[in-house]
Amino acid sequence: MTTRKRRAEPPGAAEPSSDDEQLALHVPEPAARPGEAHDFSELHIAAAGTMARPAVDTPESALRDYPYGLIRVLDDAGKAVGQWDPGLDPDTLRRGLRSMALTRAFDDRMLNAQRQGKTSFYIKCTGEEAVAVAQAMALDPADMLFPSYRQQGLLIARDWPIVDMMCQIFSNPADRMKGRQLPVLYSAKQANFFSLSGNLGTQFPQAVGWAMASAIKHDTRIAASWIGEGTTAEADFHYAMTFAAVYRAPVLLNVVNNQWAISSFQGIAGGERATFAQRALGYGMPGLRVDGNDFLAVYAATQWAAERARTNHGPTLIELFTYRAAAHSTSDDPAAYRPKDEAANWPLGDPIARLKQHLIAIDAWSEEQHAALAAEVEREVRAALKEAEAIGVLGGAKPHLHTMFEDVFKELPVHLQQQLDQVQSELKGDGN
């Protein structure tokens, strides 16, 4: 016979019955841990082309099934099916494929540079390239981007020089951030790319505020922002959702559900009970759930939400369902918390391979052309790296000391001006 432990009772409380149920805390657990097999059989993934594409002015009350489904365009044979097919021409598709391939080659080379001690830190976006590239291409170049740290593809799709990105990573004298940002926390005003923040979540309310200001000024530009699914547990997420919904801000709020935060799976942030797109329902906002490894689906959903925002029908929350194939960062070892074969078993495949397959299926690409593309982007990355390394890497040339006094105050306070004068005098005395 099992003896149940009684709970502590406050003074004067009634004696508990022997039939009282003891409370138990639920702690979400991933489907598999290191050393176990994970085939993702627990996922229910709808066939491509099964979800209808509503008009952009459809009331939110008629869109409440969308957070539960999954918008997909590419089927298993690489064919584009269904109403969400954006009908992109082969040149646009090839441009998207090239930007994704360049992003991956850039990532691989910069990871090697970090391992060689040329920079302190790096974060890859392997397996998530379609998210940033397709969304950048679907948005207008004038639209403002408020990214997280796994959207380097936004800059690459907007043709930002990768040499400039490398110099920021190396914090060398050509770094426009002047060594003040952690590597990969880019900023590119000319590309309408807002400065990244290591404090995740801040970009969501910033994007909503920028979008509200754009509407107040009767501008035509909208904003888009990205966070990971783990960041939806931050208060900033809810502040942004409230303001966006109440004021119908022209903004796209993207949640990249890549299954893992730095070491905790998406269930810890609430994904075990509901989709992240479902969080839109409580705010009266449309929520779309999209196959994040399907370039065409990501493009189409972004295009739909952008048109909705641009025509004053308000914000959209988009959950991009994907998988973080690489480590969280160079400071992380995913083998400590997930099975080694998880990435290989991800049922939605690789975004680059899937777009390649689609182009081949429509007779607009070949295996030979793809091999040539891989070699081409590798040469481009190597040449850019050689140029950036010639300027300086970690432990080498750094931004000049006097730059620490710049870009903070419009007018330098007297005490800082005195310190700057002292620095310049000492540098002059050293012959520098």
Side-chain angles (χ1 to χ4, degrees):
M1 181 176 179
T2 302
T3 302
R4 297 171 60 195
K5 184 179 180 181
R6 284 189 173 185
R7 64 176 182 260
E9 295 290 348
E15 283 294 315
S17 165
S18 61
D19 295 327
D20 282 356
E21 184 67 32
Q22 294 184 4
L23 297 178
L25 184 67
H26 172 70
V27 179
E29 277 290 323
R33 286 293 189 182
E36 301 174 343
H38 190 194
D39 60 6
F40 292 99
S41 57
E42 77 278 5
L43 297 182
H44 301 287
I45 299 174
T50 56
M51 295 198 70
R53 185 185 187 278
V56 295
D57 60 352
T58 302
E60 181 275 333
S61 59
L63 297 171
R64 292 181 181 173
D65 288 338
Y66 285 82
Y68 299 89
L70 190 66
I71 297 170
R72 303 182 66 206
V73 173
L74 292 173
D75 65 14
D76 293 341
K79 182 180 178 182
V81 296
Q83 298 177 10
W84 283 94
D85 178 10
L88 301 177
D89 62 84
D91 284 343
T92 301
L93 294 173
R94 285 189 289 261
R95 183 160 58 90
L97 183 65
R98 189 186 193 283
S99 292
M100 287 198 293
L102 180 58
T103 301
R104 185 166 295 183
F106 176 84
D107 267 358
D108 290 343
R109 186 61 60 170
M110 295 316 298
L111 174 65
N112 289 341
Q114 191 277 335
R115 296 306 193 211
Q116 293 166 0
K118 296 175 180 177
T119 184
S120 60
F121 185 73
Y122 193 72
I123 293 180
K124 298 180 73 177
C125 66
T126 307
E128 303 175 41
E129 293 89 353
V131 171
V133 172
Q135 294 201 284
M137 292 177 62
L139 293 165
D140 190 279
D143 293 335
M144 193 69 183
L145 312 178
F146 292 79
S148 186
Y149 45 50
R150 224 176 294 277
Q151 281 82 53
Q152 49 267 54
L154 293 171
L155 284 172
I156 289 174
R158 286 192 169 181
D159 297 322
W160 191 256
I162 59 174
V163 171
D164 182 86
M165 297 168 69
M166 290 174 176
C167 288
Q168 191 278 324
I169 292 168
F170 291 148
S171 297
N172 65 23
D175 172 20
R176 291 176 300 101
M177 305 300 104
K178 300 174 184 176
R180 295 173 181 170
Q181 282 277 50
L182 187 73
V184 310
L185 299 189
Y186 310 105
S187 179
K189 184 177 182 179
Q190 294 84 347
N192 296 310
F193 184 98
F194 195 79
S195 301
L196 270 75
S197 169
N199 299 318
L200 296 179
T202 59
Q203 62 268 45
F204 250 39
Q206 289 165 348
V208 172
W210 190 97
M212 289 171 62
S214 184
I216 290 169
K217 294 185 293 186
H218 304 296
D219 203 339
T220 59
R221 298 177 296 165
I222 65 174
S225 188
W226 291 260
I227 58 173
E229 84 284 347
T231 308
T232 62
E234 298 279 352
D236 285 329
F237 170 79
H238 300 283
Y239 301 150
M241 292 289 287
T242 299
F243 273 82
V246 169
Y247 296 102
R248 278 197 274 181
V251 63
L252 279 63
L253 296 171
N254 299 291
V255 175
V256 183
N257 179 7
N258 62 16
Q259 312 306 309
W260 288 93
I262 188 168
S263 61
S264 60
F265 87 118
Q266 49 94 23
I268 296 295
E272 185 184 60
R273 299 295 182 186
T275 71
F276 291 96
Q278 283 176 248
R279 300 193 179 191
L281 298 176
Y283 296 91
M285 184 189 304
L288 301 181
R289 190 163 174 262
V290 185
D291 178 350
N293 289 20
D294 181 339
F295 180 91
L296 296 181
V298 175
Y299 188 103
T302 305
Q303 188 180 51
W304 183 91
E307 185 179 351
R308 186 178 179 90
R310 227 179 290 279
T311 53
N312 293 310
H313 289 97
T316 303
L317 178 70
I318 302 177
E319 176 186 349
L320 297 138
F321 196 64
T322 182
Y323 185 84
R324 170 168 64 76
H328 181 269
S329 72
T330 51
S331 300
D332 173 48
D333 178 12
Y337 54 81
R338 70 185 189 190
K340 290 182 178 180
D341 63 349
E342 258 201 5
N345 290 331
W346 178 242
L348 296 177
D350 179 279
I352 295 177
R354 289 178 67 186
L355 185 56
K356 178 191 80 169
Q357 182 186 28
H358 174 62
L359 279 163
I360 291 174
I362 62 173
D363 296 322
W365 200 239
S366 68
E367 292 289 355
E368 292 75 20
Q369 285 175 297
H370 196 75
L373 172 63
E376 176 188 323
V377 296
E378 180 61 29
R379 286 193 299 270
E380 182 176 340
V381 171
R382 281 203 309 266
L385 183 60
K386 184 177 180 180
E387 182 178 344
E389 287 181 343
I391 299 171
V393 296
L394 183 67
K398 297 179 177 64
H400 295 294
L401 284 176
H402 67 78
T403 62
M404 75 172 72
F405 298 93
E406 299 174 357
D407 307 320
V408 177
F409 296 96
K410 183 178 180 180
E411 295 181 4
L412 204 61
V414 173
H415 71 287
L416 290 183
Q417 183 62 55
Q418 292 172 345
Q419 293 178 31
L420 173 59
D421 293 342
Q422 181 181 353
V423 168
Q424 291 177 325
S425 176
E426 291 178 0
L427 289 175
K428 186 177 180 181
D430 290 341
N432 295 323

